[in-house]
Structures are given as C-alpha cells and as structure tokens.
Amino acid sequence: MGRHGWNSGAPRWRLTALLGVAGVVLALVLTLVWTLPGRDGSTAGTSREGDKVHGTPAMPPEDLGPDVGWGFTHTQFSADRGSDRATARVTGRLGERPVPQIQHLMGWGAGNPEPVKGRYDFDDLDRRIDFIRSSGGVPVVTLCCAPDWMKGGRSGTDNTNWSLASLESAPDREHFDDFAALAATVARRYPDVRHFIVWNEFKGFWNDAEDRWDHEGYTELYNRVYDELKKVDEKIMVGGPYLVMDSLDPRAHDASTSLKGPWGALDRRVLDAFDYWNEHKAGADFVVVDGASYTRDDELLPDEFAATDKFTAVGRWVRGRIGDDTPLWWSEYYVEPADANDDRDGWSENRRVAVHAAGLMAMARGGATSGFYWNPENEDGPECAGCLWTPTHTAGGGRALPMYGLLSRFGAEFPPGTAYESVPVTGEDRRAVRVLADDEAVLVVNTLDRAVRVEVDGQRLEMGAYDVRWLRR
C-alpha cells in the first residue's frame, strides 16, 4: 500500500469504513446489473412491443377452417429477398394459385424472435409474413425453435448460438410458460395467422435413459402453448405433434410388428409417442406428421415409387386414431434420400417430379388433406435441384420450375374435401402407371424410365419416361 501513498495510523479506520461502504454499493450495483434483462448481451434492435400488430393483416375469411390444402415451407433462402423483379415474379405466380405457406418462428430464414426476455426482434418474421400476404397465401407458423435463454444459453442479440445442436434443443421445462407466452405474442402480432404447429420433429425431446422419445415433455409443452393460443383467439387453430414417422428394416429391434409393409416397418417408439400425445393432448384442430418414403438407412423399398405407399399406410394408421373429422397434415415429406451434405440432387428433374407426384397421391389416399413441400431454394447460382423457382438474387430469377407446376396444380385440382374416384386403366403397361382422380381431373404418373402406352379413363396415352400427365374429365 505504501507505493500508493497511503499513511498508517489513525486515518486508516476511515479508509476501511469508506472501502466497506464502497463494497456494499458495488455489490448492490452488480446485483442490479445481473438481474436486469439482457445482462448477458445486447438488446440492440429489439423492442418491448412484440405483440403490436404488424403491417396490414390480410384477414382470413370467417369460414376458414383447419384444412388449408397443399403448399410449401420457406427455408433459409426464399423469395422474400433478392431482386425486386425476381421476387415480384414469384409473388405474382403464387397469386395466380394461392398456396398455403409455412414459416418457422426461429431458424430457416427467421432470426431470434426474443433474444432477451421481454425484448423482441421480429424483423425477419415480419418480412416472411409480408411475403406470404403479398402472394395471397394462407400463412402457417411452426412454433420452433426457442431463444437461447429458454434452453440454458445466454440472452442477448449478440449471443444467439446458431449451431445445429443449439437450434435443435428444446426449451427447459422451467421455460415452457415463457415459450407459450412467446407463441401468444406472435399470434397477437399477426392476427391473420390462424394456423400454428407446435414445435418441429420433437427436436430436443429424447429420453436417453429410456431410449425413447420424451413424449411426456413434448405433450406438456404442447398443452401449454395450445392453451395460451386459445386465450388469444378461440378461432386460432393449433396442431401437432409433428413426429417423424421413421421406418426401419422390419427385422430391426425397434421395428413395429403392426405397422409395416414392403416399404419397411415404423419405429414403434414413434407410434408410442403419438399415442401418448393423442391421449393426453389438450386438443388439436389438425394433426401433423412428417417423414420420408425411405427407411432411416436411406433404403427405398422395394423401389422409389412403391416406397411412397408408406405415406398411405401411415395416414390410415393415424386416421384410425383421430377419426375422419380431424384434418391430417404432412408438414414435411421426402422421397429422395439426401447425400452427406443433406442435398437431394442425384435424380433428374423429371424423375424427381414423378416420384413426388406419387408421394402426393399416396398421402391423399391415406386421408391427408394438406402436405407441405420443403422448398430447397439456393441463395444464388443458376441451378436449383428440386426448387419451386429459380434463385431470386438476379432480375432474371424467380421463374417457376417443374416442381412448382406439380405442387400448385395438385393443390388446385385436389383441395381439401375432394372425393376421389376410381378410373379404369388398361393396356400392357397399366401396372407402370399410378393414377389419382376426382370428378373433374385425373393425374397420371409413369413410374418407368421408358415410354409406355396406356388407356386411362377412356383416353389413350403415350407417355415418356417418368412422364406426369393431367387429364380433364
């Protein structure tokens, strides 16, 4: 202390007293700072007015029910950004045949909506909702994922952890009410969003100790969110459980013995989770599942077209538990296995469209009224395998691709409530085609990589390899 000029003797008690007072004051200041929201990070760009109505809501018709039809999900890159001419081209095209569109709460193109408790940043979600409104679509919000402070991470706009492990973490149980409150805030901000899906694929809800899904935890979160949304508006429609209907080799240890086919066998743990949720849910205006036609080992059994029969089998199994009055949605569906980078671009586009058409048919036969294509748009570049439109980064982008033609036409021809009919199919190649029809339209798919000749509903067809044809009746 001598080097700081302090003298020993009588004045020392004053120094001690002053240091003691200063210590108390410092402790109080630190306590206050550490208990304030945002102590772990910045609140820059946030607002407390999260539930303030955004923009001009396109109010849905009074008779809008839980059925929305066939649409797509926005992913990391979409047509809400890019060249004005390209984005306008997409919104114009979508407006010709409006389709339902899903946007996630956090991730897949949307930033952290509540970086600090009580402080909101909806810029990205606002932009996506504006895009859906401008294109005349029915907006659907998937309530996933959760801000970091709800799952053991740090709060603050500068502390969001975008790693896959973090994004796919469920909120801690002590924050279930916080997540439900966030859901209610979103519902008040966008009063034209009447359809909400609770969470995504049970992400973070796995019981390691028992090697099964934590269906109890998910159902508790679901029920709290359901209750809060209904408090905002009874007309809001809520659905779950968004389980991945994984299939396995029928000889696998966890393979179901009751739900199986040439395409494989469902994982019994998924079925157990569904049954628990279905029995203990607070309610559901629609039921949501997702999955792939191939097995967890990426096997297309017995081939890529026959594997889509899984969608029909799963749909009928679910229908047997929820009845005929509750709509069944496929929130995601996949027919082409991904590579190590999660890309699905190994097939030609006509083969891809044909197998997807078979998948849509199979979902419809299984009782589904809605299905959402996971649109894999690229940020830039000329190629975009499986995308609905070309990337919008240049003025020439935003042009419809074959997958868009299939999806938009399927939704227009086979809306919810469609009564499907059988039509005659004859000719040597009759087993090579798949057919779905109502009283006005027929969809025909050639499942072979060669030309075929068939007669469908009295019309003679010469179809090329993997050809997809629409007929009028």
Side-chain angles (χ1 to χ4, degrees):
M1 295 292 290
R3 65 181 181 272
H4 297 295
W6 295 107
N7 295 320
S8 61
R12 181 169 297 177
W13 69 270
R14 297 189 183 93
L15 175 62
T16 302
L18 288 172
L19 289 175
V21 171
V24 171
V25 172
L26 179 60
L28 289 172
V29 171
L30 289 176
T31 299
L32 179 62
V33 169
W34 279 82
T35 55
L36 284 174
R39 62 175 176 79
D40 289 333
S42 172
T43 60
T46 65
S47 168
R48 294 190 183 279
E49 298 181 335
D51 57 0
K52 181 180 179 181
V53 174
H54 167 69
T56 304
M59 295 308 294
E62 288 297 319
D63 60 350
L64 180 66
D67 278 317
V68 295
W70 307 86
F72 67 90
T73 296
H74 292 277
T75 54
Q76 182 66 30
F77 306 110
S78 196
D80 59 312
R81 281 183 163 171
S83 160
D84 289 343
R85 289 177 61 186
T87 57
R89 189 173 289 119
V90 177
T91 55
R93 176 73 66 169
L94 287 172
E96 295 172 1
R97 288 178 180 169
V99 295
Q101 302 168 41
I102 289 178
Q103 175 57 48
H104 283 66
L105 170 65
M106 177 177 173
W108 298 281
N112 189 335
E114 191 179 5
V116 176
K117 185 173 182 177
R119 307 281 306 193
Y120 304 94
D121 180 0
F122 286 120
D123 285 353
D124 291 332
L125 194 55
D126 286 349
R127 188 178 61 254
R128 285 284 169 95
I129 295 297
D130 285 342
F131 176 84
I132 297 172
R133 288 171 177 171
S134 67
S135 62
V138 176
V140 179
V141 170
T142 294
L143 294 168
C144 181
C145 293
D148 295 58
W149 59 270
M150 294 187 191
K151 53 195 179 187
R154 299 175 63 191
S155 66
T157 56
D158 51 348
N159 288 325
T160 300
N161 183 349
W162 289 107
S163 69
L164 188 62
S166 176
L167 187 64
E168 296 191 347
S169 294
D172 297 335
R173 183 170 265 99
E174 58 266 31
H175 288 296
F176 281 3
D177 285 338
D178 290 317
F179 187 80
L182 174 58
T185 298
V186 172
R188 287 189 290 267
R189 186 174 185 84
Y190 312 111
D192 49 339
V193 177
R194 292 287 180 83
H195 300 83
F196 289 89
I197 302 173
V198 181
W199 210 241
N200 173 308
E201 295 184 338
F202 268 46
K203 286 178 167 60
F205 287 100
W206 180 258
N207 186 327
D208 286 311
E210 299 185 27
D211 191 33
R212 64 168 177 83
W213 290 109
D214 176 18
H215 38 254
E216 299 93 344
Y218 169 79
T219 303
E220 182 179 349
L221 175 68
Y222 175 91
N223 287 343
R224 296 195 195 187
V225 172
Y226 179 93
D227 290 342
E228 287 303 309
L229 289 174
K230 291 296 185 178
K231 289 177 185 177
V232 174
D233 188 341
E234 278 290 337
K235 294 180 180 179
I236 288 176
M237 284 155 278
V238 187
Y242 204 148
L243 271 164
V244 184
M245 308 304 279
D246 277 334
S247 50
L248 314 168
D249 185 303
R251 297 166 296 181
H253 175 266
D254 292 308
S256 169
T257 58
S258 60
L259 184 50
K260 60 183 180 179
W263 42 265
L266 255 288
D267 188 324
R268 60 177 176 78
R269 298 168 296 183
V270 174
L271 304 183
D272 290 343
F274 183 93
D275 281 339
Y276 181 91
W277 170 83
N278 194 41
E279 180 180 352
H280 296 89
K281 66 184 184 298
D285 298 292
F286 54 92
V287 170
V288 185
V289 297
D290 90 339
S293 58
Y294 44 86
T295 69
R296 192 179 298 157
D297 295 324
D298 291 345
E299 293 182 294
L300 288 161
L301 303 174
D303 60 59
E304 69 269 42
F305 287 96
T308 63
D309 292 338
K310 169 187 171 178
F311 297 139
T312 303
V314 169
R316 290 173 177 170
W317 182 88
V318 173
R319 276 259 167 257
R321 280 151 174 77
I322 66 174
D324 294 329
D325 295 332
T326 304
L328 170 61
W329 296 14
W330 284 84
S331 53
E332 299 176 41
Y333 63 94
Y334 301 93
V335 298
E336 180 182 4
D339 61 18
N341 296 319
D342 201 35
D343 293 324
R344 293 174 173 83
D345 53 8
W347 292 354
S348 64
E349 201 66 15
N350 60 335
R351 181 185 181 189
R352 180 177 296 111
V353 171
V355 183
H356 269 279
L360 290 168
M361 290 176 169
M363 285 185 278
R365 290 194 189 97
T369 55
S370 296
F372 291 85
Y373 179 66
W374 192 267
N375 185 28
E377 185 179 347
N378 293 335
E379 183 177 16
D380 53 30
E383 302 298 326
C384 201
C387 296
L388 297 180
W389 51 76
T390 57
T392 55
H393 68 295
T394 64
R399 300 185 184 280
L401 292 170
M403 194 65 74
Y404 176 80
L406 168 67
L407 185 64
S408 61
R409 183 75 182 268
F410 193 93
E413 299 288 2
F414 303 132
T418 295
Y420 297 102
E421 301 180 359
S422 297
V423 295
V425 181
T426 59
E428 291 184 3
D429 295 317
R430 62 187 180 279
R431 289 186 174 83
V433 298
R434 293 202 164 202
V435 178
L436 186 70
D438 65 5
D439 60 343
E440 295 184 351
V442 184
L443 175 59
V444 187
V445 176
N446 176 12
T447 66
L448 299 182
D449 190 17
R450 66 170 177 81
V452 299
R453 293 181 178 181
V454 291
E455 185 172 302
V456 178
D457 198 31
Q459 301 183 53
R460 294 181 180 179
L461 303 176
E462 293 188 7
M463 304 181 69
Y466 301 130
D467 197 3
V468 175
R469 196 79 61 86
W470 289 94
L471 310 177
R472 304 307 304 174
R473 301 189 72 186

